[in-house]
Amino acid sequence: LLQALGDAAVSSFRSASKGNEMVIAEEEISTIFSIFQDRAEFAQRFNSHASFRMELSRRGFMSVKDSSAKQPPPNLLRQETISLGRYNQFLFLLHEGKQSVSASMKSEVESRLRESVTGLLKRYVEKDAQFREVFEEYQFSKKGQELGESNGELRVVLTEVETELRQFLPLVLQTLKSILLWKGDIKEHIGWVFPLLTGLMICSSKDVRETVKLIFEEAVAPLLGLN
């Protein structure tokens, strides 16, 4: 149902950006925003408790061992990234498009977009820093031949954080590519976008670093007269 709702909304937004009539009322647009935002936030509240997730996994609650089970437990990490990805897609489409919407709707889209993108990129930077810190600690424990329980715990945490980074990477890249499309319009957002971009410059992902480099070269540099 949510997939169908998302597809219908995207189709309407894209059609309206080409000059066609917006078939979804603005009140309904706000409702659609809230549905996907709430779904992502619900999953995020669970996903933010890594120790709780790991304990559930140890106790067998995160996998189906009983072949009689009808379906596996929900993958809330996937739910979060898919819902947030669709939510951001709506926001970028309405922000970049030429849809005929009211000033209040434009303001709402701008506010939601800033909040969502800021939260996503800051979280990714924090998780990446955590991964590098845990990885360094894990490598040190191996060199010191501390192969007991503490080493095993570090390995579990490392795997958890790496899984989160891998799950969020496509969403982060898509967000950065959407920012890249702003080109000269990035000037309107540079105050809050710039610190997010600089934070990503030292992250582990080569793809992220290269996309940030493109944004600086093709969107930020012209603002400084560096064509």
Side-chain angles (χ1 to χ4, degrees):
L1 180 59
L2 280 173
Q3 180 68 39
L5 176 61
D7 290 343
V10 167
S11 176
S12 176
F13 297 157
R14 284 177 172 165
S15 176
S17 69
K18 297 177 181 178
N20 298 317
E21 182 181 357
M22 178 78 79
V23 297
I24 303 177
E26 291 192 0
E27 296 81 3
E28 294 173 343
I29 292 175
S30 295
T31 299
I32 292 172
F33 285 165
S34 296
I35 289 173
F36 284 89
Q37 182 185 31
D38 291 347
R39 183 176 172 86
E41 290 178 349
F42 170 80
Q44 182 182 355
R45 285 194 293 272
F46 174 82
N47 294 330
S48 63
H49 297 287
S51 58
F52 179 60
R53 292 202 326 267
M54 288 187 287
E55 184 61 28
L56 288 178
S57 180
R58 289 191 192 96
R59 295 174 180 269
F61 288 102
M62 303 299 287
S63 61
V64 176
K65 296 182 179 179
D66 181 0
S67 60
S68 65
K70 293 183 178 179
Q71 57 183 339
N75 184 332
L76 292 182
L77 185 58
R78 185 171 183 272
Q79 173 179 311
E80 180 184 358
T81 54
I82 290 178
S83 299
L84 186 57
R86 183 67 92 172
Y87 176 55
N88 283 352
Q89 183 183 22
F90 297 157
L91 295 174
F92 275 109
L93 280 172
L94 284 174
H95 180 271
E96 299 165 5
K98 300 177 181 179
Q99 301 90 343
S100 178
V101 295
S102 66
S104 61
M105 174 55 64
K106 290 180 179 179
S107 178
E108 179 182 349
V109 168
E110 175 70 28
S111 177
R112 284 178 176 270
L113 183 64
R114 177 174 179 171
E115 179 184 28
S116 184
V117 170
T118 299
L120 169 65
L121 298 186
K122 278 187 174 181
R123 182 177 177 189
Y124 186 81
V125 168
E126 290 170 0
K127 284 294 177 182
D128 185 76
Q130 181 186 4
F131 173 79
R132 286 184 277 115
E133 180 181 345
V134 175
F135 181 76
E136 183 177 341
E137 188 176 353
Y138 176 67
Q139 291 294 94
F140 178 78
S141 71
K142 288 179 65 178
K143 290 179 181 178
Q145 295 184 346
E146 299 174 5
L147 301 178
E149 183 178 347
S150 61
N151 185 275
E153 288 289 327
L154 285 173
R155 186 165 57 249
V156 171
V157 173
L158 189 65
T159 300
E160 281 286 322
V161 178
E162 186 177 21
T163 299
E164 286 192 56
L165 286 174
R166 188 166 55 247
Q167 191 77 37
F168 273 93
L169 179 58
L171 177 54
V172 169
L173 288 173
Q174 185 56 54
T175 298
L176 292 175
K177 289 174 182 177
S178 295
I179 291 175
L180 178 60
L181 292 176
W182 284 348
K183 299 294 184 180
D185 292 336
I186 199 173
K187 182 179 181 179
E188 302 173 16
H189 314 283
I190 197 67
W192 61 270
V193 169
F194 189 85
L196 297 174
L197 296 175
T198 56
L200 290 165
M201 291 173 69
I202 59 171
C203 74
S204 303
S205 169
K206 181 180 178 182
D207 290 337
V208 169
R209 296 197 306 272
E210 288 182 344
T211 307
V212 170
K213 179 174 178 289
L214 280 176
I215 293 174
F216 274 106
E217 290 176 344
E218 299 184 15
V220 178
L223 298 180
L224 304 174
L226 304 174
N227 296 322

